[in-house]
Amino acid sequence: MTEENKIESLSTENRLFNPPTNVPGACIKSLEEYKAIYDRSINDMEGFWAERAEELLTWDKKWDNVLDYDFDKPEISWFEGGKLNASANCLDRHIKNGRRNKAALIWQGEEDHEVKVYTYDMLHREVCRFANVLKKLGVKKGDRVTIYLPMIPELAIAMLACTRIGAPHSIIFAGFSSNSLRDRINDCEAKIHITGDGVLRGGRSIPLKPNSDEALKECPTVEQCIVVPRANNEIEMVEGRDRLWGELMSDPEISDDCPYELMDSEDPLFILYTSGSTGKPKGVFHTTGGYMTYAAHTCQWVFDLKDDDVHWCTADIGWVTGHSYIVYGPLALGATSIMFESVPTYPDPARFWQVCEKFRVNIFYTAPTAIRALMREGDQWTKKYDLSSLRILGTVGEPINPEAWMWYHENIGAEKLPIVDTWWQTETGGHVLSPLPYATPLKPGSATLPLPGIDASIVDRHGKEVGPNEGGFLVINKPWPGMLRGVWGAPERFKKQYFEGFPGTYESGDGARKDADGYFWIMGRVDDVINVSGHRLGTAEIESALVSHHAVSEAAVVGMPHEVKGQSIYAYVTLKAEFDEDDDLIKELRMHVRKEIGPLASPEVIQFAPSLPKTRSGKIMRRILRKIVEGDTSNLGDTSTLADPSVVTDLIEGYEEIM
Ligand code: ATP
Ligand code: MG
């Protein structure tokens, strides 16, 4: 029996893949080099970050003080006294430095023929014009602007225009309902709202403007609404409030030139709500100097991003991954970033690979949910296109099941490309635990080692560091520039959520273990831990054991109340397309888990589930699955972040049939 405050590991995963090392021109060339840099970054944290900030960004005025912090209050400030502008760092300086005609953004629309390329010069011009539009509409430094747009270039332009004039943006993923939208607009008291007529997604057209109209009825702070047409929908304009993007931009009074606002390092850059996997989303806010340093730093080292690389992060910009690794990171580095409007399976499950071939993509970054969905469709789709331009693969969003990792490695990575499994959160601003592609030996399913500048530990409930392979709470002991500076308008929540659980550290909310090599393995969220006869088990290992069966593409496990054991394991399992649901398979899966990681983890009940409840960012919402098996479906909690509510109804029916 484990102690109350630890999480027990059953994993037997021990495969190891060595990366190519001493690659000419690589940022970090070997594990030894990583270790030397890491040690330095921890022993001389301020010196390390000052060097990175200086190297990566252009500061209009240098800071007076690198770091001031107190996690008890909590208060964190990086590069105090420094002045800079994020949009100038993403645009103006590159234009002066010889990248004027380089592709900054390549936009691939829903249909293959829809492509737009913005050079740095073109993007700069559009951003300046839109910044001037915002100014003309009365937006001032510090005013908030909410952006509710599909993945079209205007989204990136609007973001950078906001940061140019010092107006924090809050982007709301275009899949959210009017209620979610209303709550987020009101929470940050936005002055201007930017919306579209609709979203094109996998061959469907989904209206957007009616959601904004519905929301804005109850958003007293919004003065003007700007509408970007995309989906050919009829747009009902509200007089005095609504304006069309095109009309505003073509106003002859609007100039191509807009001097950027000088921002303090600690001025807010944006507000972004977390995915809401565990409950009510938090309005995380980031500030200018620290966030920009961190986005550029991680983008450069983790992706080994070079000047002639084509970088493709498939996330939606409505999530932090898109903020940091489609817009701010790549553009701060002067790279070429792809912005993709569509979905992985439209018009067929080879779309990602077709786009990789078409733009000769070098760095490809996606989520386990997409990898599992494509794995489900079969390998044949991955063979249709030339993937030889790929150099580095990445994943983010959830623990990647080792079997999904192997599929990615074999089918996309030609069994040789480094895969960076990046663990991080909206709150962290950028990658925190991750391999460096030409330095870190890889273990499938492990986010490997902390990045330079990150002092992370696994602790028990009392904050005491646990031993090798003992699971516990993942905390970060020292600040890093990209960490959140607060929860918008809720300082108490900020303190309670992140700094009270383990005084003196940042609490991530995830459970993890560190193996004998110091590698971190995320075991699932602490809230989702299952207690079977006093054994506290994380969800990730059990799910990965299920996914390692050849018939399974995805699995989610939760604890079900059990008279004797306290809890037993209830598993929801999605099969690959070619397998049929039957009772023999259930027996086989139970045996399989028993064999892989032991009888303790063998599910008591297995329910086949063609789909699982996910957040709109693609994360499994175990909180809802748990409610179902607790028979508490009248009280599912905040479900506004659920991608498809009908999935839940089907699962409840399935559960009732079984029990
Ligand atoms: P909320 O905090 O509102 O419940 P959320 O935690 O899902 O939402 P995000 O900030 O989008 O919101 O997600 C961060 C979480 O995603 C991490 O805490 C972790 O649980 C998971 N995650 C992200 N990347 C990885 C990864 N590489 N491996 C394992 N888990 C990951
Ligand atoms: Mg979270």
Side-chain angles (χ1 to χ4, degrees):
M1 248 213 242
T2 51
E3 291 167 50
E4 251 296 356
N5 49 27
K6 292 180 186 159
I7 308 170
E8 201 170 328
S9 172
L10 304 168
S11 168
T12 54
E13 179 57 55
N14 57 13
R15 286 170 283 194
L16 184 76
F17 297 88
N18 283 310
T21 49
N22 296 313
V23 172
C27 292
I28 316 289
K29 292 191 176 63
S30 66
L31 191 61
E32 293 65 45
E33 190 183 352
Y34 155 78
K35 283 183 177 156
I37 294 175
Y38 183 80
D39 290 345
R40 190 266 160 132
S41 75
I42 299 299
N43 297 330
D44 172 22
M45 200 166 250
E46 294 194 19
F48 172 78
W49 285 118
E51 264 171 36
R52 289 303 281 159
E54 180 96 67
E55 195 182 317
L56 291 162
L57 299 182
T58 303
W59 297 78
D60 292 277
K61 176 182 169 287
K62 202 171 159 177
W63 54 85
D64 305 316
N65 202 7
V66 179
L67 170 65
D68 260 321
Y69 82 104
D70 179 344
F71 275 176
D72 295 328
K73 278 185 179 163
E75 264 172 26
I76 302 121
S77 124
W78 281 94
F79 312 117
E80 186 88 65
K83 289 202 180 282
L84 76 166
N85 181 283
S87 129
N89 270 279
C90 290
L91 301 168
D92 304 49
R93 61 180 183 148
H94 303 312
I95 291 168
K96 292 188 204 117
N97 295 346
R99 295 192 181 100
R100 187 166 79 92
N101 292 324
K102 177 176 176 178
L105 274 186
I106 300 178
W107 176 76
Q108 171 64 65
E110 161 107 328
E111 301 301 333
D112 188 45
H113 67 270
E114 297 178 294
V115 173
K116 281 188 193 166
V117 179
Y118 288 82
T119 64
Y120 274 93
D121 202 43
M122 290 160 74
L123 191 58
H124 177 258
R125 180 172 170 272
E126 296 296 304
V127 167
C128 284
R129 290 188 75 84
F130 193 63
N132 283 327
V133 165
L134 290 174
K135 280 206 241 172
K136 197 170 171 190
L137 295 179
V139 181
K140 301 217 163 48
K141 179 174 170 178
D143 288 341
R144 274 83 58 208
V145 174
T146 47
I147 307 178
Y148 181 62
L149 284 176
M151 282 286 281
I152 53 177
E154 287 81 356
L155 172 51
I157 293 165
M159 282 169 94
L160 290 163
C162 286
T163 60
R164 193 163 192 88
I165 61 173
H169 54 70
S170 180
I171 302 180
I172 298 142
F173 174 59
F176 278 124
S177 65
S178 61
N179 285 349
S180 306
L181 180 62
R182 175 200 61 205
D183 294 349
R184 286 164 178 73
I185 296 173
N186 284 335
D187 192 70
C188 71
E189 298 172 298
K191 182 168 187 172
I192 299 276
H193 179 65
I194 305 171
T195 186
D197 66 334
V199 182
L200 301 179
R201 223 178 137 72
R204 289 183 306 148
S205 168
I206 306 151
L208 212 51
K209 177 71 168 37
N211 292 350
S212 288
D213 289 337
E214 195 56 38
L216 291 181
K217 281 185 196 155
E218 295 172 83
C219 297
T221 58
V222 173
E223 293 168 8
Q224 308 260 301
C225 171
I226 302 174
V227 188
V228 189
R230 164 61 184 147
N232 254 325
N233 289 336
E234 197 145 325
I235 306 172
E236 249 181 67
M237 301 290 281
V238 174
E239 250 209 61
R241 186 196 72 188
D242 295 353
R243 313 290 296 271
L244 282 173
W245 173 283
E247 275 172 24
L248 292 164
M249 286 289 265
S250 58
D251 177 346
E253 271 180 31
I254 291 297
S255 149
D256 284 356
D257 181 43
C258 176
Y260 58 83
E261 192 76 35
L262 266 192
M263 304 300 284
D264 282 325
S265 179
E266 283 297 340
D267 278 337
L269 184 68
F270 65 80
I271 304 163
L272 182 63
Y273 292 83
T274 56
S275 300
S277 306
T278 55
K280 189 171 178 281
K282 301 162 277 266
V284 163
F285 76 89
H286 286 284
T287 57
T288 312
Y291 170 83
M292 286 301 292
T293 300
Y294 203 69
H297 159 74
T298 49
C299 197
Q300 185 179 58
W301 283 8
V302 172
F303 298 124
D304 194 63
L305 194 62
K306 293 287 146 41
D307 228 71
D308 58 357
D309 278 328
V310 175
H311 177 84
W312 184 16
C313 164
T314 69
D316 193 287
I317 294 179
W319 310 119
V320 72
T321 308
H323 280 60
S324 299
Y325 302 113
I326 298 177
V327 180
Y328 290 116
L331 298 186
L333 295 171
T336 297
S337 182
I338 293 189
M339 186 174 173
F340 178 62
E341 184 185 32
S342 195
V343 298
T345 46
Y346 178 81
D348 64 40
R351 185 71 189 278
F352 271 180
W353 323 126
Q354 177 253 329
V355 173
C356 281
E357 177 184 284
K358 178 173 175 181
F359 297 112
R360 316 278 315 137
V361 171
N362 304 105
I363 297 154
F364 177 77
Y365 188 38
T366 195
T369 182
I371 296 170
R372 290 188 302 247
L374 294 175
M375 184 168 99
R376 196 177 176 202
E377 301 287 342
D379 303 351
Q380 69 276 17
W381 300 103
T382 67
K383 315 268 186 275
K384 289 182 69 176
Y385 295 95
D386 176 10
L387 298 178
S388 61
S389 60
L390 291 173
R391 190 162 66 82
I392 292 168
L393 306 178
T395 152
V396 58
E398 289 180 293
I400 181 161
N401 317 103
E403 247 22 75
W405 193 100
M406 288 303 298
W407 184 89
Y408 199 25
H409 170 72
E410 284 163 9
N411 291 285
I412 311 305
E415 296 184 31
K416 61 173 196 236
L417 299 185
I419 298 180
V420 290
D421 175 358
T422 60
W423 178 87
W424 60 296
Q425 310 176 295
T426 309
E427 293 89 338
T428 69
H431 309 140
V432 168
L433 307 174
S434 172
L436 294 173
Y438 299 123
T440 315
L442 303 174
K443 302 184 186 186
S446 168
T448 75
L449 300 167
L451 290 174
I454 296 292
D455 181 353
S457 315
I458 316 285
V459 299
D460 67 17
R461 204 177 286 289
H462 311 293
K464 193 172 150 284
E465 204 151 341
V466 300
N469 285 318
E470 285 180 342
F473 302 80
L474 172 58
V475 299
I476 307 175
N477 303 306
K478 294 271 163 56
W480 64 100
M483 75 184 297
L484 79 167
R485 298 297 194 272
V487 175
W488 194 259
E492 276 311 310
R493 194 166 181 210
F494 177 49
K495 183 172 177 182
K496 187 159 184 289
Q497 185 91 35
Y498 306 105
F499 299 99
E500 280 187 359
F502 303 93
T505 70
Y506 165 85
E507 174 186 5
S508 72
D510 281 7
R513 72 182 161 97
K514 226 196 293 190
D515 69 16
D517 297 327
Y519 275 49
F520 285 76
W521 298 77
I522 302 296
M523 299 172 78
R525 296 173 192 263
V526 175
D527 295 355
D528 294 332
V529 165
I530 304 175
N531 194 330
V532 185
S533 311
H535 298 271
R536 289 165 42 82
L537 306 176
T539 50
E541 292 180 351
I542 309 169
E543 291 167 2
S544 289
L546 285 160
V547 173
S548 73
H549 187 278
H550 63 273
V552 177
S553 70
E554 191 154 54
V557 299
V558 291
M560 175 175 73
H562 188 282
E563 269 181 28
V564 184
K565 302 179 192 167
Q567 281 185 320
S568 64
I569 296 166
Y570 192 107
Y572 296 85
V573 168
T574 308
L575 297 178
K576 287 186 188 157
E578 69 269 30
F579 290 89
D580 293 325
E581 305 176 350
D582 68 54
D583 291 348
D584 288 343
L585 186 54
I586 291 183
K587 281 188 207 122
E588 194 180 316
L589 289 175
R590 268 210 212 101
M591 281 312 292
H592 178 77
V593 175
R594 180 179 278 266
K595 188 173 105 278
E596 289 291 308
I597 56 173
L600 191 60
S602 182
E604 178 104 0
V605 182
I606 293 180
Q607 176 180 341
F608 291 119
S611 343
L612 295 168
K614 291 191 180 165
T615 62
R616 284 157 207 265
S617 59
K619 298 174 204 276
I620 299 171
M621 283 169 89
R622 295 176 193 75
R623 175 171 63 85
I624 290 187
L625 296 172
R626 193 163 54 237
K627 288 279 185 194
I628 298 178
V629 305
E630 285 167 355
D632 192 11
T633 48
S634 58
N635 173 26
L636 291 176
D638 185 353
T639 51
S640 63
T641 57
L642 200 60
D644 177 5
S646 72
V647 167
V648 178
T649 326
D650 292 348
L651 292 180
I652 294 176
E653 276 170 21
Y655 167 79
E656 282 167 355
E657 264 169 43
I658 293 178
M659 302 310 285

